[in-house]
Amino acid sequence: MLVIAYAVQLYTSAKRRREPQDPPPPPAGDVHLPLSSCLSWIPTICHPLLRSLVIHALRLGPRPHHVAFIMDGNRRSARVRNLPVRVGHEEGFEALKRVLSFLLKLDIPHVTVYAFSIENFNRDPGEVDALLDMARTRLVEICQHGALLQQHGVQIRVIGRRDLLPPDVQASCSEAEALTAQNTRGILNLCCPYTSQEEMATAIKRTIDQASDPAAITEDDIAANLYTADSPPLDILIRTSGVSRLSDFLLWQASESTILHFIIPNWPDIGVADILPPLLSYQAEVWVDKVANVFRWGPAADTGL
Ligand code: FPP
Ligand code: MG
């Protein structure tokens, strides 16, 4: 009898050991970017430590002031798993939260993302509805008290042809902006519905309207009328999904010293290791410039290239 009781006790304690309790859910807004599929061989238990090591190491060097993303590959990510396209976009939104959280922990204050192009209105109506529905409900969610943007003191700006959105989506965009209007530590420019050529045409029209002498208009006057005028020059532009095109996104802003980086993973699958190379390139460029300046007599000549 004693032996049976002992065996039962052994069995139940072993079962308890094999089925650990689920970890408590993370607090609202506390989301983590995975390390990336190429580092999936590293035991999961080491991920939080590695992630915070990466963040601490990057924070020792210069960090970009403005990073932009063409979040491409949502549908392909869903289709390879036989999931509806809508799921790809929903996972894309979760990826956006994780990437933002990572960049904001690095104190990168300005982030611009291509959420919906004016051309996207030509997609299947069901897909357009799913994307607009996300704008209707999820934007306000990340702007509420205690959520991601409030934790980091960042404003949201929905930029582009907002007048093309249904009235209730426009109202949600205004509500999200109003919730974060007092934040001063950075800006999330959410481009929706946007194209760069439309932005430039609008900026040129506004500049002409303001000018007393159109012949005296300069590039700076036009730049001051772009939707992104309150953000600093664009340091890094990243496009996911293995496509190397700009697709009418930030053409004016990316024309000078922006680092362009095209990466293979689809947007929903983006991880820390995918974002590291452009961040390290930026740090290397800043350090090389600093060293070059030390050995230079007088200011560097601008060679244009
Ligand atoms: C491009 O992938 C992605 C989009 C058109 C939508 C991006 C939107 C989000 C990530 C979420 C935030 C959006 C809103 C509106 C709040 P794709 O659809 O072109 O996919 P594919 O390249 O695989 O065809
Ligand atoms: Mg695409």
Side-chain angles (χ1 to χ4, degrees):
M1 193 63 190
L2 206 63
V3 174
I4 293 172
Y6 183 62
V8 168
Q9 197 196 353
L10 263 185
Y11 172 75
T12 48
S13 68
K15 197 161 182 264
R16 258 204 310 278
R17 253 181 278 124
R18 259 185 277 122
E19 289 170 10
Q21 294 282 302
D22 284 342
D30 191 7
V31 285
H32 296 293
L33 196 62
L35 288 181
S36 297
S37 50
C38 65
L39 296 178
S40 58
W41 52 272
I42 297 176
T44 332
I45 195 161
C46 305
H47 289 194
L49 179 69
L50 262 178
R51 219 176 355 243
S52 64
L53 274 179
V54 168
I55 290 173
H56 280 89
L58 284 170
R59 285 176 65 98
L60 295 175
R63 272 142 300 141
H65 307 284
H66 187 179
V67 176
F69 292 92
I70 302 178
M71 310 183 286
D72 197 21
N74 287 359
R75 294 185 296 187
R76 275 167 281 166
S77 166
R79 281 179 185 140
V80 291
R81 291 172 291 144
N82 287 321
L83 293 170
V85 159
R86 176 184 47 79
V87 175
H89 291 311
E90 278 162 7
E91 292 181 352
F93 192 83
E94 294 306 315
L96 172 60
K97 283 178 16 189
R98 295 193 300 268
V99 168
L100 270 179
S101 170
F102 179 71
L103 297 182
L104 295 174
K105 278 179 196 150
L106 288 174
D107 283 337
I108 294 173
H110 292 260
V111 180
T112 302
V113 294
Y114 208 175
F116 193 89
S117 123
I118 295 175
E119 313 305 325
N120 287 157
F121 280 115
N122 299 322
R123 290 192 176 186
D124 172 75
E127 185 186 346
V128 174
D129 278 352
L131 280 164
L132 294 181
D133 208 38
M134 220 153 49
R136 190 179 286 116
T137 55
R138 311 284 320 262
L139 291 185
V140 172
E141 195 183 290
I142 55 168
C143 296
Q144 262 153 4
H145 180 71
L148 190 60
L149 297 193
Q150 302 291 17
Q151 279 173 16
H152 294 274
V154 168
Q155 271 187 29
I156 192 170
R157 306 247 179 113
V158 181
I159 59 176
R161 287 286 308 274
R162 281 192 26 186
D163 57 300
L164 298 178
L165 295 170
D168 60 338
V169 179
Q170 290 185 40
S172 297
C173 296
S174 303
E175 189 184 343
E177 286 178 340
L179 283 167
T180 58
Q182 306 306 319
N183 294 344
T184 53
R185 298 224 299 268
I187 297 178
L188 166 65
N189 295 304
L190 189 114
C191 302
C192 172
Y194 172 93
T195 60
S196 187
Q197 293 189 25
E198 188 284 322
E199 177 185 32
M200 291 191 278
T202 301
I204 290 166
K205 278 185 240 159
R206 285 182 188 165
T207 312
I208 291 171
D209 284 349
Q210 293 160 1
S212 45
D213 175 10
I217 288 174
T218 65
E219 291 98 315
D220 286 348
D221 298 326
I222 297 171
N225 278 310
L226 293 173
Y227 298 137
T228 57
D230 291 332
S231 294
L234 182 62
D235 297 307
I236 300 176
L237 170 57
I238 299 174
R239 181 178 187 145
T240 54
S241 88
V243 176
S244 314
R245 284 196 297 266
L246 291 179
S247 300
D248 212 346
F249 183 58
L250 302 185
L251 302 180
W252 180 291
Q253 295 85 338
S255 66
E256 279 178 42
S257 51
T258 308
I259 297 174
L260 303 181
H261 203 80
F262 301 98
I263 61 177
I264 301 296
N266 290 320
W267 174 254
D269 311 318
I270 191 169
V272 170
D274 305 311
I275 299 180
L276 265 185
L279 293 177
L280 293 173
S281 299
Y282 175 84
Q283 296 197 328
E285 275 188 18
V286 173
W287 278 322
V288 166
D289 271 2
K290 279 191 178 154
V291 173
N293 280 333
V294 169
F295 292 104
R296 227 176 248 143
W297 298 93
D302 184 2
T303 58
L305 284 174

